[in-house]
Structures are given as C-alpha cells and as structure tokens.
Amino acid sequence: MERPSDYSDALAEAREAGNAFLWIGLHEPTEAEFGRVAEEFGLHPLAVEDALHAHQRPKLEVYSDSLFLVLKPVSYDQSTATVSAGEVMLFIGDSFVVTVRHGETNPLGEVRERLEQDPKVLRHGPTAVMYVVSDAVVDQYMEVAADLQVSLEGLEEDVFAPDGQSARDTAGRIYGFKRQVLGFRRATGPLAEPLERLTRSGVPFVPEESRPFFRDVSDHLSRVHDQVDGLDRLLSDMLSANLAQMSVRQNDNMRKISAWAAMFAIPTAIAGVYGMNFDHMPELNWVWAYPAVIALIATACLMLFRFFKHRGWL
C-alpha cells in the first residue's frame, strides 16, 4: 500500500478509515520543524508556543479542535540522590496524536508496544494514547517514590547513628533530600486536576467509555501523593530529630568540658594560694607539708572525677 506523501493526506486517510489515527512523535523540535506539524494539524498557537519552550506545569487545555495535555515524567538517580524531570506534551484531536518530548526522561518507549498488545484499549483511538502515556508517567512516579523510600531509609540510619562523626553533614543531606522531594511534588501535584477533569463529562475527544481509564490513573496518582506526603513528613521529623541530637551532643560536650574544668580548678586554686608569698604560712615549715598538699589535690580531683562519672558527665 502506498503511503501518504504528507501529514494532511495521512490525516485525511485516517479520518476516512474511521478506525485509525495518525501519531507523530517529536523530541525537542526546532521552531521550523514543529511549525510544519502545527500548520498541518491546525494546532493552537498558544499551545504550540508552550510545546516549543517547555518548562510548563502539568495541565490540560481544551481548544476547539484539540486537547493539549502536559505531563512531567521523572527519574531518580540513586548514586547522586537526584530527581530529574522531563516534559511530554500531547495534542489530541479527532484522528491524530502529536507528542512533543523534552529532556532525557522518556516514558514513551514501551507505550506503542503496550497499545498494540491491548486492542481493547487501542480501539479508543487517540484517547488511548493519552491514557497509556499518562499511566506510564504515573507508574514512573510510583517507582521513583519507592526508590526515594529506599534512599531515605539509609539516611534515617545515619541520623540515628550512635556516633555523630559519621553523620556530620546529615542536616545538609536532609535539606538536599527535601529539595528533591519538593521537585518531585512539583511534577505530581499539579497533575491531579487535569486527570480529575478527564474523568468527568464535557471534555471533547474523550468518550464516555474512556473515562474509567483516567479514573484508574487518578487513583494511582493519589497513592503517589500519599507517598510523597509521607516522605516529606518523615524528612521533617528526621530533621527535628537530627537537630535535637546535635543539641544533646553539644550539651554532653559542655558537661564534659565543665567537669574537667572543675577538676583543674582545685589544683589551680591551691597553687594560687601558695603563690601569694605570705610571710606567715606555718605549714611551709612542716616536713610533710608538700606531700600533704599533693595528696589533698589528688584526693579532691579523684572524688570529683568519681562524682562526675557517676552523673554521666564523663
């Protein structure tokens, strides 16, 4: 079968067939590259501008001849404890899908294979692509949340390590982890409203029988939100616990310093008395005066040492 020579002919054939649609996928297209696609499919200029410049929040915009959905897929690098976000924009029309991807995070790799293996979903047309891509992105969210939980368990061990030397930079690591969770929340949080709209009636190009699919994705996203909230609360608790432990360690150090200072104060005070060079100090003429003073200093220091040791200051 001869293939159409351009997009408009292919779109016309898809519309004529009735059970087919055209899917165009682009990765960080230039303005010239995307301009041709936008002209052929009649995409709205504002949506085209958003797709070219990226850096959009997850959203759903309804135009007269298409839907525009923005998703932010994420990935997590455990070696650097870094959450990276990309962007996927979908233009959904009556018989076409245009996807524009920015960044290295790619949730579209297995989407086509998944659709081809599930004819019941594929028969929903362009809406099926929107559903499967959304589901793949949310599945990635769940994987990232699980990886973050694993990394957080390691951080938690450092926070409650008995030796504070191994956790000297723990507070900084907790703040860094909170920034990663915040970046993750920026991708997951705004997506709730678009998915909720897709589960309701009145959205063009989304037939009644397709809405349960988006309801399922929305339920999975709610679970991700609960996980992210749990991670954020746990990080806040860990930060408070770490600061409390630092305060306890500082108090322990101050008690030790104070105890040693008290023990050194005794010989210092006695030596200070004998260093004033009074003329009438009868004990200076005693044979056992020097050993007696040394014994007094040693006994007083030993008693203080045992007292502080019993109180846990040393």
Side-chain angles (χ1 to χ4, degrees):
M1 180 178 178
E2 184 178 355
R3 294 186 177 183
S5 58
D6 55 26
Y7 295 142
S8 57
D9 292 340
L11 181 59
E13 288 190 11
R15 285 171 174 166
E16 184 178 354
N19 60 349
F21 62 91
L22 182 62
W23 183 357
I24 306 296
L26 302 170
H27 178 230
E28 297 182 356
T30 63
E31 186 172 352
E33 292 171 341
F34 195 54
R36 180 189 171 193
V37 175
E39 182 179 358
E40 293 282 354
F41 292 97
L43 304 181
H44 196 280
L46 293 178
V48 170
E49 182 180 357
D50 289 344
L52 284 173
H53 294 91
H55 303 295
Q56 304 294 317
R57 299 175 74 244
K59 62 180 180 178
L60 174 67
E61 294 182 352
V62 179
Y63 297 102
S64 59
D65 52 0
S66 64
L67 292 178
F68 179 56
L69 177 64
V70 179
L71 303 169
K72 293 186 75 70
V74 298
S75 60
Y76 178 63
D77 186 352
Q78 288 189 337
S79 62
T80 59
T82 303
V83 175
S84 302
E87 289 187 41
V88 174
M89 289 87 162
L90 294 94
F91 294 87
I92 306 296
D94 56 349
S95 297
F96 69 86
V97 178
V98 177
T99 57
V100 180
R101 182 169 62 88
H102 292 267
E104 298 301 322
T105 304
N106 181 17
L108 305 179
E110 300 178 355
V111 167
R112 178 175 177 177
E113 181 180 355
R114 179 178 170 183
L115 281 170
E116 290 176 346
Q117 293 177 354
D118 195 347
K120 292 183 179 179
V121 175
L122 185 59
R123 67 182 179 83
H124 292 272
T127 306
V129 177
M130 184 166 58
Y131 155 66
V132 175
V133 173
S134 301
D135 192 48
V137 169
V138 174
D139 285 346
Q140 279 190 337
Y141 290 166
M142 299 178 71
E143 294 175 2
V144 170
D147 292 339
L148 286 172
Q149 182 66 47
V150 172
S151 298
L152 192 58
E153 290 174 358
L155 182 59
E156 190 175 18
E157 292 178 359
D158 291 340
V159 170
F160 295 102
D163 184 7
Q165 295 297 323
S166 61
R168 186 173 299 171
D169 62 338
T170 302
R173 292 173 59 197
I174 294 174
Y175 274 116
F177 213 100
K178 283 183 73 70
R179 284 197 296 269
Q180 300 306 316
V181 172
L182 178 61
F184 188 25
R185 189 193 294 273
R186 287 173 181 160
T188 63
L191 184 57
E193 191 271 338
L195 289 179
E196 178 64 24
R197 288 179 61 188
L198 290 171
T199 63
R200 301 195 299 262
S201 60
V203 179
F205 309 109
V206 181
E208 175 75 25
E209 60 272 16
S210 300
R211 291 204 293 268
F213 294 123
F214 295 103
R215 191 174 299 113
D216 180 67
V217 179
S218 182
D219 290 341
H220 290 172
L221 183 63
S222 297
R223 291 171 54 190
V224 173
H225 287 164
D226 292 340
Q227 290 178 286
V228 174
D229 289 340
L231 290 172
D232 191 55
R233 287 194 300 269
L234 184 56
L235 282 168
S236 297
D237 293 341
M238 287 169 55
L239 182 59
S240 298
N242 182 66
L243 294 176
Q245 284 190 331
M246 290 177 60
S247 178
V248 169
R249 293 191 188 107
Q250 290 176 350
N251 290 336
D252 289 341
N253 292 335
M254 289 302 299
R255 283 198 296 266
K256 291 179 181 179
I257 294 171
S258 300
W260 286 109
M263 287 187 287
F264 278 110
I266 291 177
T268 301
I270 295 176
V273 171
Y274 283 96
M276 289 188 285
N277 298 322
F278 290 118
D279 291 335
H280 302 288
M281 298 183 72
E283 66 275 11
L284 293 180
N285 297 321
W286 297 348
V287 177
W288 299 100
Y290 179 75
V293 171
I294 296 299
L296 175 63
I297 293 174
T299 301
C301 290
L302 180 60
M303 292 178 63
L304 280 177
F305 179 82
R306 295 185 61 183
F307 173 76
F308 290 134
K309 193 74 173 178
H310 179 72
R311 297 292 298 271
W313 286 32
L314 293 174

